Amino acid sequence: MLLITILLSATFAVACSDTAPCKVDQGDYLIALPQDGSAPVPAVVFIHGFGGSGEGVMRNRGLVDAMVARGYAVIAPSGLKMSGRNGGSWSFHPERPRRRDEIAFLTQVRDDAISRFGLDPDRVLLSGFSIGGSMTAYLACANPDAFAAYTPIGGNFWRPHPEQCAGPVRMLHTHGWSDGTVPLEGRVLRGQDSRDLDALIQGDVFHALSIWRETNGCFQLKPDRFETSSPFWRRAWDRCTPGSALELALFPGGHVIPAGWADMALDWFENLE
């Protein structure tokens, strides 16, 4: 009886879910799984914004349930807690001080979830909102093959913008037309000049797209396709490096994850060649 108790205790100690954190060396994450997990399932690693947490992502049931209903696992890692604040954030900009190697942490989360839950390693999408979107972009820039594709929302590069990225990516960037927290053109949070090491200035989304066009080797500046029949106004660059993808989706709103985003993003992901 004692042995059974010990084994059961050990089992429950390592179990994790959408409410019990999965522990890795540099942090933790939560995971919501689809009911039908008989075959290796795809996954979305979703990075929260400034002051958020993995728990906060899981409380967004509209977002999580929409992805789980389509057969995806949803993985929500947590940023490191900030001093004097309840939530966490990310050391996303490579030219600013780092509290943690976030790229190593997020790839460790990916590998742990694939191993622990038998996920499909070839169908793991990295996404994030606000600073989580910026973290998504910087990981894509540094290590484009780490995830199958990237779908940042309301955040991309900051100033100073990267001069170049490591290789082509598959990216769908989504942004609110009237976003005042992370405007399309960026916003000065501290300082006046990006050459000042103490300055903190958001990037320009349109400049970020020019970096991604160059990275993807796109044929020309203007998009190849436009779509305005849905709530999202979309611009796509198709004549680029084979295997890459680049698209911008705008919506009439502010700094939010818009209704319908999960289905739109997953449709895009599933239609990639």
Side-chain angles (χ1 to χ4, degrees):
M1 179 63 72
L2 178 59
L3 178 59
I4 293 174
T5 301
I6 292 172
L7 290 173
L8 287 173
S9 297
T11 299
F12 286 118
V14 298
C16 55
S17 64
D18 59 348
T19 57
C22 306
K23 303 289 186 179
V24 295
D25 290 344
Q26 299 190 62
D28 59 62
Y29 65 93
L30 298 172
I31 184 166
L33 294 164
Q35 290 185 351
D36 183 10
S38 55
V41 299
V44 178
V45 177
F46 195 91
I47 309 173
H48 65 75
F50 181 83
S53 64
E55 293 88 345
V57 171
M58 287 299 168
R59 286 196 295 270
N60 186 343
R61 298 314 308 181
L63 174 69
V64 173
D65 290 347
M67 293 188 285
V68 169
R70 290 187 54 153
Y72 285 74
V74 179
I75 300 165
S78 286
L80 290 176
K81 293 291 181 66
M82 298 179 291
S83 178
R85 296 177 179 267
N86 292 326
S89 193
W90 305 92
S91 300
F92 63 91
H93 200 297
E95 296 186 20
R96 302 193 65 82
R98 296 191 306 178
R99 295 193 298 153
R100 176 173 66 183
D101 185 337
E102 304 290 14
I103 293 177
F105 168 60
L106 291 166
T107 52
Q108 185 181 46
V109 166
R110 175 205 64 195
D111 292 344
D112 185 80
I114 289 170
S115 175
R116 196 189 297 239
F117 298 99
L119 306 179
D120 186 339
D122 296 323
R123 293 190 294 161
V124 182
L125 173 67
L126 183 66
S127 187
F129 172 63
S130 193
I131 282 181
S134 296
M135 185 70 253
T136 300
Y138 280 104
L139 190 151
C141 185
N143 193 357
D145 295 327
F147 291 83
Y150 302 89
T151 54
I153 313 164
N156 211 288
F157 295 136
W158 285 49
R159 291 175 169 88
H161 301 94
E163 293 185 3
Q164 61 182 12
C165 292
V169 299
R170 303 197 295 180
M171 178 175 288
L172 165 65
H173 179 90
T174 305
H175 217 100
W177 181 256
S178 56
D179 192 331
T181 302
V182 183
L184 286 161
E185 300 79 7
R187 180 167 67 103
V188 176
L189 300 180
R190 184 175 69 230
Q192 295 295 326
D193 191 326
S194 61
R195 292 172 294 183
D196 179 357
L197 294 178
D198 291 326
L200 192 60
I201 308 174
Q202 296 166 350
D204 186 307
V205 170
F206 297 108
H207 186 66
L209 285 166
S210 73
I211 296 170
W212 292 119
R213 285 195 300 272
E214 182 176 350
T215 299
N216 280 10
C218 296
F219 176 70
Q220 58 183 0
L221 300 178
K222 77 180 186 69
D224 298 296
R225 284 185 293 116
F226 301 88
E227 170 61 52
T228 59
S229 62
S230 77
F232 298 94
W233 282 30
R234 299 166 67 171
R235 302 159 63 90
W237 290 263
D238 296 325
R239 289 180 288 173
C240 306
T241 300
S244 69
L246 183 62
E247 190 162 334
L248 170 66
L250 298 172
F251 63 93
H255 196 61
V256 296
I257 303 172
W261 173 83
D263 283 323
M264 186 267 291
L266 294 183
D267 286 344
W268 172 82
F269 182 48
E270 291 169 4
N271 286 325
L272 293 175
E273 296 182 356

